[in-house]
Amino acid sequence: LQITTDESSNISEQRIIKYSALTRDGQSFFWENILAPTGTLDAATLANHFVLHTKLVSNDDLPRIISVTTGTCATMQNMWKVLEAREETEHIATVPCDSQGIQLLIKDILESHGMVDTWEECTTIANTLRNSTKQLAYLREHWNTAYGKHKSFIASVITSWGTQYRLIKSVKDNEAALKLLACSSDSEFAEKTSLQDRDFWYRLDDLLHLLKPIDEWQKASEANNASVSCVYDLSARPGFQFGNSETVWTGPYCGSLSETRHMECANYC
């Protein structure tokens, strides 16, 4: 069995610890959410909690547990050391979460100089139109004109990985209708100027070009049949060659990313 565990807070702000398992035939299943013990959740506490509950998962047969995948914060990294130092768990391989590392890379890209403006414009456009009944009514008319059907915008949710890329893509997928809306005298919202700006759409295309392969790798790493053997060094993957003179990225952000590429690959790969 391969175990995945994480500590976080639920919508009631209660601290919880989650467990999932992956069998050797590629079947993934959720095991349980557990309220975290009161007090400090340090590495030793989390390691003890892990041993207690994986004994339940494995029917008190810890040798069946071959790996544990966690986040990459300092506490989790210290928990790996605790598990490696204990005789009953020293055989368990500790694996940093590949999809979380990719998500952190996406976050840093969107917050980097030259990218953040385009990201914030996309977020504002999507959220404004989703939450404005009047403007959305006008947009529905333009959807019918441009596509013959209604479309939608994807919301970016911090706990749902990949939604940042899909929000940006939903703006691009609505490009024709949004341009019609921006040219309409009936529409009244501040982001009209962005929709009428040719440079905005160029920057949006470049951003999607950069994020698309990263999103595909993230989805692959989250698939039910993913395993430790599917995790590769991100910098070695075809089409994502940050930090060398033959980079495939040729958009307008090259200059702003040139100083951060090595750092991002080193931190998240």
Side-chain angles (χ1 to χ4, degrees):
L1 291 173
Q2 301 173 48
I3 303 297
T4 299
T5 183
D6 186 32
E7 181 272 325
S8 62
S9 297
N10 61 18
I11 59 175
S12 300
E13 297 302 322
Q14 296 172 305
R15 299 172 77 185
I16 58 174
I17 301 175
K18 297 162 284 190
Y19 288 98
S20 299
L22 181 70
T23 64
R24 63 182 179 181
D25 60 355
Q27 297 298 311
S28 177
F29 61 92
F30 167 76
W31 179 252
E32 60 182 338
N33 278 341
I34 306 164
L35 287 178
T38 303
T40 303
L41 285 180
D42 56 16
T45 302
L46 288 172
N48 290 334
H49 198 277
F50 171 80
V51 171
L52 174 65
H53 288 276
T54 50
K55 282 183 177 180
L56 296 175
V57 175
S58 64
N59 197 23
D60 206 26
D61 187 8
L62 279 180
R64 292 181 61 197
I65 308 300
I66 63 171
S67 71
V68 55
T69 301
T70 73
T72 56
C73 67
T75 301
M76 287 299 182
Q77 293 185 49
N78 288 331
M79 188 188 81
W80 304 342
K81 297 176 183 178
V82 174
L83 294 175
E84 291 166 0
R86 295 174 62 161
E87 183 177 356
E88 63 181 342
T89 55
E90 63 180 358
H91 68 283
I92 298 176
T94 52
V95 183
C97 179
D98 189 46
S99 54
Q100 184 191 44
I102 296 173
Q103 181 63 27
L104 292 172
L105 175 58
I106 292 173
K107 177 177 179 290
D108 277 6
I109 289 174
L110 294 177
E111 292 179 353
S112 65
H113 176 69
M115 303 268 190
V116 65
D117 290 343
T118 306
W119 164 239
E120 289 179 349
E121 284 177 285
C122 286
T123 302
T124 302
I125 289 168
N127 290 340
T128 297
L129 294 175
R130 285 176 59 246
N131 297 317
S132 173
T133 304
K134 180 180 179 180
Q135 300 306 319
L136 190 57
Y138 289 133
L139 182 59
R140 288 193 180 101
E141 294 180 0
H142 297 306
W143 277 335
N144 288 329
T145 300
Y147 314 114
K149 63 179 181 179
H150 288 180
K151 291 199 172 190
S152 62
F153 293 102
I154 304 299
S156 174
V157 182
I158 191 171
T159 55
S160 184
W161 295 347
T163 53
Q164 292 93 340
Y165 168 76
R166 274 171 273 289
L167 181 149
I168 298 169
K169 188 174 185 301
S170 71
V171 173
K172 175 62 179 178
D173 289 343
N174 282 283
E175 179 178 359
L178 288 172
K179 287 180 176 178
L180 290 173
L181 180 67
C183 294
S184 171
S185 58
D186 295 325
S187 61
E188 300 173 0
F189 60 105
E191 292 71 27
K192 284 180 64 171
T193 55
S194 294
L195 299 177
Q196 294 170 325
D197 183 2
R198 184 180 301 176
D199 183 62
F200 166 73
W201 294 104
Y202 287 155
R203 289 185 283 114
L204 181 62
D205 286 341
D206 284 335
L207 187 53
L208 283 172
H209 177 72
L210 176 61
L211 293 180
K212 182 179 179 180
I214 305 175
D215 178 71
E216 291 172 350
W217 296 322
Q218 185 175 51
K219 287 190 291 186
S221 71
E222 294 178 322
N224 285 343
N225 62 349
S227 64
V228 176
S229 62
C230 296
V231 179
Y232 302 98
D233 181 356
L234 185 61
S235 62
R237 297 176 188 177
F240 193 58
Q241 303 169 20
F242 277 0
N244 61 48
S245 59
E246 297 179 355
T247 177
V248 299
W249 175 243
T250 57
Y253 306 120
C254 278
S256 62
L257 277 181
S258 60
E259 296 179 358
T260 62
R261 284 175 178 153
H262 281 97
M263 178 271 292
E264 288 166 346
C265 285
N267 286 347
Y268 304 126
C269 304

